[in-house]
Amino acid sequence: MHINKIVWVRGRIYNIRSKGKNLFIVLRGNNGSTIQIVKFKGNDSNSEDNGKLIKFLGAVPLESVIEVQGNLVSAEVKACTQKSAEIQILKAFVVSRAKSVLPILVEDASRSEKDIQTSQNTNRPFPRLGQEIRLDNRYIDLRTPANLAIMDIQSGVSRLFREYLYQHGFKEIHTPKLVAGESEGGSDVFRLDYFGAPACLAQSPQIYKQMAISSDMGKVFEIGPVFRAENSNTRRHLCEFIGLDLEMEIYEHYNEVLVILHDLFKFILGGLESGYVQAISTVREQYESEPVIFSNEPCIIHWPDAIELLRENGYEAEDFDDLSGVQELKLGEIVKKKYKTDFFIVDQFPAKIRPFYTMPNPSDPRYSNSYDLFLRGQEICSGAQRCHEPTKLLSIMKEKGVPYEPLKSYIECFKAGCVPHGGAGIGLERVVFLYLGLDNVRKASMFPRDPKRCAP
């Protein structure tokens, strides 16, 4: 730090106050850091000009962007992230003037629930900003230190995902998001007219990453948007999210994929803990949570064992029905207590509740070679060994009522020969939401899309 040097800085006016003939401004930078800038009127020959500058700056609205030239001096400042220095203003310019009255203030949006609750019994209770007003004004809400840190961590998850897979011989691909028919044969698709022909937005890159394996690419991954027309208004569902997808050739058993997935998440979560310490701390200042507990070796629980764990602990569960959200959370609590981990894998799901392209269990076709990964008792990843045998695949499609014509090219690629393979699809926002212990996945999405929101 260049104390007693002239510096130029740019930032937003976060707070401003006058004290006698003096002006104090808290300037906030792009990363949420803050520094105090001051101007003293004084009693010398410059006092008139100083007074004009103080009057000028005092009228600039909060959240305006200004540039300041000033002298960086040592100071003790408790209210800023830069606690050992401040800037004495020489010149100041308004780069972008904000409206005088904004729908929300960053200061209000940055407070923890604990601070808000504590203030309710004082003469100046803090306002509690609801989710809708925050999302209506997301471009302001994103400026809070916690939200900037959440976006940093989201970026970190993507970077670490990509780094690990490159290190293990995967190549990045880019699959179409405009798909003829329906990408996975389901009903929850966004349909559109494609020059007179029916099409939809891709529910996942599933079909195309499998075709990449059929094209002898060996190991592939993609980071891209996924679209789900699910009318779900829960705290963990979005209609558009970023998918972290991978697919790989299998040589002996689908456990090869599970080993990769476990090591991948160990790499990602370890990388966050070591490389994003400040960002995690900033988030937890506003949104309290406990660190994730992660086992060194994969914790794999077979479906029948998972059902038995629930029953042993007093929770009803059917042998061949999918788990509800409540059951997932309870299973997470049980597994954490028994195996000392927040991250675990359940495999061998019932075949009837998995997609048509899932390979049945060769020993018992009631089950399948499929798996879900859970974090804090909620699913963050779903995957399986894929059915690469065209005759068997057609039989499953017929049984599940999946139409053939929209998937003709997909079926044909297996008729041209294809190695056994498996993979997984991971929801980026859900990983961030659960890793940080947030109360809603929308906090982990830059501009969330759900059944009731398609703007901003």
Side-chain angles (χ1 to χ4, degrees):
M1 187 178 295
H2 304 291
I3 297 297
N4 296 322
K5 297 287 186 179
I6 302 298
V7 297
W8 275 96
V9 294
R10 174 185 287 181
R12 292 185 183 274
I13 296 179
Y14 180 64
N15 206 333
I16 188 167
R17 61 187 177 90
S18 297
K19 188 176 181 181
K21 298 179 179 180
N22 305 322
L23 183 72
F24 299 85
I25 295 175
V26 175
L27 202 64
R28 192 182 72 248
N30 282 340
N31 60 358
S33 61
T34 53
I35 188 169
Q36 180 168 274
I37 62 173
V38 299
K39 188 64 181 176
F40 306 117
K41 183 176 181 181
N43 296 310
D44 56 18
S45 58
N46 296 318
S47 62
E48 184 176 347
D49 290 339
N50 291 342
K52 290 178 180 178
L53 184 56
I54 289 171
K55 183 178 180 181
F56 167 73
L57 287 174
V60 179
L62 297 179
E63 292 302 302
S64 296
V65 180
I66 64 172
E67 283 190 358
V68 172
Q69 183 193 54
N71 189 26
L72 185 67
V73 299
S74 295
E76 187 176 323
V77 185
K78 294 181 179 180
C80 296
T81 60
Q82 179 51 258
K83 299 184 180 301
S84 60
E86 66 183 16
I87 298 171
Q88 295 178 347
I89 304 170
L90 299 174
K91 298 178 182 178
F93 306 88
V94 175
V95 176
S96 178
R97 184 181 293 268
K99 293 193 301 183
S100 297
V101 179
L102 294 171
I104 62 173
L105 293 177
V106 174
E107 185 174 17
D108 292 334
S110 301
R111 296 190 180 99
S112 69
E113 177 59 29
K114 183 179 179 180
D115 289 343
I116 294 170
Q117 190 62 42
T118 302
S119 75
Q120 299 309 302
N121 297 321
T122 69
N123 293 329
R124 294 185 60 191
F126 297 140
R128 179 180 283 106
L129 302 183
Q131 178 174 275
E132 293 309 306
I133 193 171
R134 285 176 177 269
L135 295 182
D136 287 343
N137 301 280
R138 186 63 164 159
Y139 43 88
I140 301 177
D141 186 48
L142 283 169
R143 296 175 188 175
T144 70
N147 283 335
L148 289 172
I150 290 170
M151 292 300 107
D152 283 347
I153 291 164
Q154 187 197 86
S155 174
V157 172
S158 296
R159 179 179 67 81
L160 292 162
F161 175 82
R162 184 178 273 117
E163 280 182 12
Y164 175 89
L165 294 177
Y166 274 136
Q167 290 172 13
H168 288 78
F170 286 73
K171 66 180 66 176
E172 187 166 7
I173 60 173
H174 304 283
T175 63
K177 303 307 168 203
L178 289 171
V179 181
E182 297 172 358
S183 57
E184 294 182 17
S187 60
D188 297 326
V189 296
F190 289 106
R191 293 175 176 82
L192 53 89
D193 180 271
Y194 192 74
F195 301 102
C200 68
L201 295 177
Q203 289 173 290
S204 80
Q206 183 61 48
I207 289 172
Y208 294 100
K209 63 180 181 173
Q210 285 188 253
M211 292 173 79
I213 301 300
S214 177
S215 301
D216 297 336
M217 293 188 186
K219 299 176 179 179
V220 298
F221 76 91
E222 179 173 20
I223 300 176
V226 173
F227 303 92
R228 302 282 172 87
E230 297 178 6
N231 192 13
S232 297
N233 294 285
T234 73
R235 67 190 191 94
R236 62 176 186 165
H237 284 95
L238 294 170
C239 292
E240 180 184 353
F241 60 90
I242 300 301
L244 308 177
D245 276 85
L246 63 91
E247 204 76 17
M248 59 183 277
E249 181 176 353
I250 292 173
Y251 288 90
E252 295 182 5
H253 195 276
Y254 70 85
N255 275 356
E256 296 162 31
V257 186
L258 297 186
V259 170
I260 285 287
L261 288 171
H262 176 83
D263 288 348
L264 167 64
F265 273 97
K266 186 160 66 173
F267 182 83
I268 291 172
L269 300 185
L272 293 177
E273 293 293 333
S274 62
Y276 292 80
V277 175
Q278 184 56 56
I280 294 169
S281 175
T282 298
V283 175
R284 287 177 177 156
E285 284 178 17
Q286 183 167 0
Y287 304 113
E288 293 183 10
S289 69
E290 294 296 322
V292 167
I293 300 173
F294 196 94
S295 61
N296 193 47
E297 296 299 321
C299 178
I300 302 174
I301 302 168
H302 303 315
W303 176 268
D305 297 329
I307 297 301
E308 189 58 33
L309 280 173
L310 285 168
R311 290 171 177 167
E312 287 175 356
N313 286 271
Y315 303 105
E316 293 184 3
E318 297 298 325
D319 289 324
F320 297 100
D321 290 346
D322 205 356
L323 296 177
S324 68
V326 173
Q327 288 171 322
E328 288 182 359
L329 288 169
K330 295 302 181 184
L331 182 61
E333 292 174 7
I334 295 165
V335 170
K336 183 173 183 178
K337 185 177 181 180
K338 184 170 183 177
Y339 298 105
K340 304 296 187 287
T341 181
D342 285 311
F343 179 84
F344 61 96
I345 301 168
V346 176
D347 73 345
Q348 293 293 317
F349 277 73
K352 74 172 189 176
I353 64 173
R354 302 302 278 198
F356 71 90
Y357 47 76
T358 306
M359 180 66 81
N361 183 330
S363 301
D364 186 345
R366 296 178 302 169
Y367 298 96
S368 62
N369 291 354
S370 60
Y371 37 82
D372 281 0
L373 280 62
F374 293 84
L375 183 63
R376 299 190 196 269
Q378 296 187 63
E379 177 221 325
I380 56 169
C381 170
S382 187
Q385 179 182 354
R386 319 304 184 182
C387 186
H388 64 286
E389 301 169 13
T391 302
K392 183 179 291 186
L393 185 57
L394 285 167
S395 175
I396 297 171
M397 288 173 63
K398 184 177 181 180
E399 182 183 324
K400 289 182 176 287
V402 178
Y404 169 78
E405 279 302 320
L407 297 164
K408 184 177 179 180
S409 297
Y410 172 69
I411 304 299
E412 289 299 313
C413 86
F414 299 124
K415 291 182 179 180
C418 183
V419 297
H421 59 282
I426 303 162
L428 172 60
E429 292 87 347
R430 194 176 285 192
V431 171
V432 175
F433 145 62
L434 291 171
Y435 171 73
L436 292 172
L438 304 175
D439 63 355
N440 197 300
V441 71
R442 290 158 183 79
K443 286 186 171 70
S445 175
M446 189 172 179
F447 291 98
R449 295 291 179 261
D450 60 36
K452 297 180 179 178
R453 179 172 294 280
C454 199

